[in-house]
Amino acid sequence: MPDNIQQDNYLKFITNLVTTIRQISIYPPKHPIIVNSIKAVFLSLEVLLKDRSVLSLNLSPDNKILFNGEAFGDKSSWTIQEMITYFKKLDIEGIVFDSGVTKKEIDEFIRSVLCDSEAAKSGNLNSLLLNKGIQHIKTKQFSYLKVEKGKEAFVVEGEKAKILEGLKFKVKDYCSDKIESPEDIQSIEKEIFNLISVEFKEKNKLSPALKNVFKKFILHGKDKDDILSRLKNALLDYGCPAQKVDNVINKINKEITLGKEVKKKAVTLADIEILKNENRELKLKLNRIQQEVEAKGAEVGKLQRQNKRIFDEKARIDNIIHNLSEGMVVVDPEGKIILVNSTAESLLGITKNDMGKPIREVIKDEHLLTLAKHIALEKEGSVQKDIELVSPNEATKRVLRTSQAVVEDYNGNTVGMVTILNDITKQKEIEKLKSEFLATVSHELRTPLVAIEKSISLILNKEAGDVSETQTQFLSIAERNLKRLGLLINDLLDLSKLEARKMELKPETVILEKIISDSIESLNNWAKTKSIRIEKVIPADIPEVNLDPNKIIQVLNNLIGNAIKFTPQGGSITVGLVLSKEDGVIKVSVADTGMGIAKEDLPKVFDKFYQTQERAPTDISGTGIGLAIVREIVELHGGKVWAESEKGQGARFIFTLPLRK
């Protein structure tokens, strides 16, 4: 028995060899996987030949793999089992590798012999190897037939053919009375019985060639019944089922009897003519079949080329998916995992053993279970959600952003769902630090600004002494800019509170028309400076609603103020209300006749610090966070806000407020 290191080397060589044979049947010849696999076989063989000139790999009669005559491995191992299968499939019992064998010889040997059993069986195998330039690899084909009572016979199809061919000549000599010795006749009978036993035990039937040899032998014998009786005993001794043995003996007996009767009948000219006609028809039929086969062969070739293109494309897509920096999980309509890449495996703790399992069994976190829910999503788009994961000891947190979309077939039927995972933990931490910084700075700036503003106010009111007209002018400019800076700081603090969910609403039952009127009244003077009309379109059936009036006035001031800012001289602004009972909301809209917003800018207008590039030349710039505050306040009330616009055709901002009973 080889030592452990040598055992490992043997196993590595066998595994590389079997894996390469498998892969050649899947990948094209020049594929990197094939090139690397053949290289691995060569390197593992090089290790085994390092201290010896010859390495023999054999299959023993009792189905064991031998290296240089020593038994190796466990027969239950898949690699050993597969190697035994290749030996039997190729009719060989041994392969010998000489030192000096090249990688090219290994490549040619695997492709020409191990992966092409038909080519291997076409003639003398060693001659085939030499013709292909393989000088350092030789094979040994099976050369024996072993049959023992109560045991399986170790016979391959090629060897059976050789034994049967030899029996044909012996039976021919026996029928010509060239063999008369009882011992020789008994030997022929034993060989026939052995071959029949092996074939019948293996296939439960006899080939026509073997049956014909036996019929000739039995017909030349003196006692047909004795020979059939001895054959029956031989089959039973070999372990064949009694009922099947009786059936085959009776069938042979009938065929022999029928054959004798047929020989007694004369063949007429009419019979010969019928046979000729049948022969002609068969030839025509064979020609048609051959033409059909050739046509189908061309079609098969076309399909094979298409299959190769599809396979190459699949391999390319698989490689892209595997190397995505984002995690990807695909589940079927029942929520079973059908695809997961390496990034998702790392993020979710999924392994390859979990493929095909329901995702609810694999992922225990209740937040991540949303990956398996709601397979029948709206087909117009995807769903995005941020999920915060806390470790068991709550020392670390991870935030995943999931984007989910339905996968459909050509008929529009839902066949699964794909989920893309992004680890945005760092991004969330940065956003949190930024918000905290803005809140802190804004809060710290408020106190000195108030002091400066009060001081300037005292000077302008001449409570600290007289000031000149020029000084008054400059102090007024400073006061206006301080107010603008104060508004910016207030907006930043409001936004910080809203994002941190620390702003509390003070709801009360109000008439929405009054809030709109108050907001319009506060901004009407500014609108008049630009000759802009502000109109209300409010139906009479609008019910009272429960909301924080101060916060909704802030929303309206921002929206109407933006409309004034972006509407040119002589334009108009319309504030409207619509009651939508079926949705349970009131829709509030602010529409203007200004310059409008480009479609590509619409998704960004509610982002912090985003401002469109175009504005009326007489207007001052804003802070860029007014619409972000609008969105936060509306969502805090349980509503939604969006914008509708086309460039040059004005803009319309709409937000909803839920009806409260």
Side-chain angles (χ1 to χ4, degrees), residues 638-654:
K640 295 180 181 178
V641 63
W642 66 93
E644 298 172 353
S645 180
E646 288 188 19
K647 196 170 183 181
Q649 297 184 21
R652 184 167 178 255
F653 285 80
I654 306 119

Side-chain angles (χ1 to χ4, degrees), residues 191-396:
E191 284 188 55
I192 294 173
F193 286 4
N194 283 344
L195 201 56
I196 289 174
S197 298
V198 170
E199 187 165 287
F200 187 70
K201 180 69 177 296
E202 180 180 325
K203 300 181 179 179
N204 288 324
K205 64 180 182 178
L206 300 179
S207 65
L210 179 55
K211 197 184 292 184
N212 287 336
V213 170
F214 177 66
K215 287 178 183 178
K216 288 180 182 179
F217 175 81
I218 200 172
L219 285 170
H220 191 69
K222 294 180 180 180
D223 194 336
K224 177 191 71 170
D225 293 333
D226 284 346
I227 297 173
L228 287 174
S229 178
R230 288 196 295 274
L231 174 60
K232 179 178 179 179
N233 292 332
L235 289 171
L236 292 172
D237 287 343
Y238 190 60
C240 299
Q243 184 61 48
K244 292 183 179 180
V245 170
D246 287 338
N247 291 341
V248 75
I249 295 296
N250 292 334
K251 187 175 180 181
I252 293 172
N253 191 19
K254 286 180 182 179
E255 289 175 359
I256 292 171
T257 304
L258 183 63
K260 288 180 178 179
E261 291 176 358
V262 169
K263 283 185 178 179
K264 293 177 183 178
K265 293 182 180 180
V267 180
T268 65
L269 291 174
D271 293 333
I272 294 173
E273 191 62 31
I274 290 171
L275 288 173
K276 285 182 178 179
N277 291 334
E278 289 178 352
N279 187 44
R280 280 194 294 271
E281 289 177 3
L282 284 172
K283 284 184 178 179
L284 291 172
K285 190 178 288 186
L286 284 172
N287 287 335
R288 287 196 300 271
I289 291 172
Q290 185 175 358
Q291 290 172 2
E292 290 174 2
V293 168
E294 288 174 355
K296 288 187 176 181
E299 185 66 24
V300 168
K302 181 180 177 182
L303 289 173
Q304 286 175 339
R305 289 190 295 273
Q306 290 177 349
N307 186 53
K308 183 180 181 302
R309 286 196 297 271
I310 292 170
F311 179 83
D312 291 343
E313 182 66 18
K314 180 182 180 298
R316 186 174 70 85
I317 293 171
D318 287 346
N319 191 42
I320 291 171
I321 291 173
H322 180 75
N323 291 288
L324 278 175
S325 58
E326 296 86 3
M328 175 181 280
V329 180
V330 181
V331 297
D332 65 12
E334 286 74 40
K336 294 179 181 177
I337 301 170
I338 57 177
L339 186 148
V340 59
N341 68 355
S342 56
T343 307
E345 288 176 6
S346 174
L347 289 172
L348 303 177
I350 297 176
T351 66
K352 296 191 183 298
N353 296 329
D354 296 323
M355 299 296 289
K357 294 181 181 178
I359 198 168
R360 290 183 179 88
E361 295 179 7
V362 177
I363 301 175
K364 304 301 181 184
D365 190 284
E366 61 181 8
H367 298 297
L368 287 177
L369 280 178
T370 56
L371 300 176
K373 294 178 182 177
H374 311 302
I375 295 295
L377 295 170
E378 293 295 328
K379 297 182 179 180
E380 284 74 20
S382 61
V383 173
Q384 184 169 296
K385 183 178 181 181
D386 291 352
I387 300 171
E388 186 176 275
L389 304 179
V390 183
S391 66
N393 59 12
E394 298 188 0
T396 58

Side-chain angles (χ1 to χ4, degrees), residues 446-458:
R446 177 180 277 177
T447 301
L449 282 175
V450 170
I452 295 170
E453 186 180 2
K454 293 297 181 183
S455 299
I456 291 175
S457 179
L458 289 172

